[in-house]
Amino acid sequence: MFNPLTEKILSFPSTLVSAIEVADYDRDGYPDFLMTGVEPQPGGTSRPYHALFHNLNGTGFEEQKRNN
């Protein structure tokens, strides 16, 4: 069985501090996750980061919403 959490490399932004929470937010039987953290910016500054990743029925993830 394909496990997208362990068998597919995901590309995430560089974060200084981050946390991930796993939940099935859309109740389709596949775990989705929310990533939060602090994203470095040019000039030595940083900003909060958060993104919601939707599980595509066990075949991978799609970034649904991200702060910009």
Side-chain angles (χ1 to χ4, degrees):
M1 179 178 191
F2 176 74
N3 182 343
L5 291 175
T6 59
E7 297 178 22
K8 183 172 182 175
I9 297 172
L10 300 175
S11 177
F12 297 112
S14 295
T15 55
L16 302 172
V17 178
S18 62
I20 294 177
E21 184 66 37
V22 178
D24 184 10
Y25 84 92
D26 58 354
R27 299 180 186 178
D28 65 356
Y30 295 94
D32 310 295
F33 67 94
L34 174 70
M35 181 177 178
T36 63
V38 178
E39 187 174 29
Q41 298 294 297
T45 62
S46 62
R47 69 177 182 166
Y49 167 84
H50 61 273
L52 178 62
F53 292 86
H54 177 244
N55 190 318
L56 301 173
N57 300 326
T59 63
F61 290 90
E62 179 178 66
E63 189 172 312
Q64 292 292 301
K65 193 168 193 175
R66 179 179 181 177
N67 70 317
N68 285 323

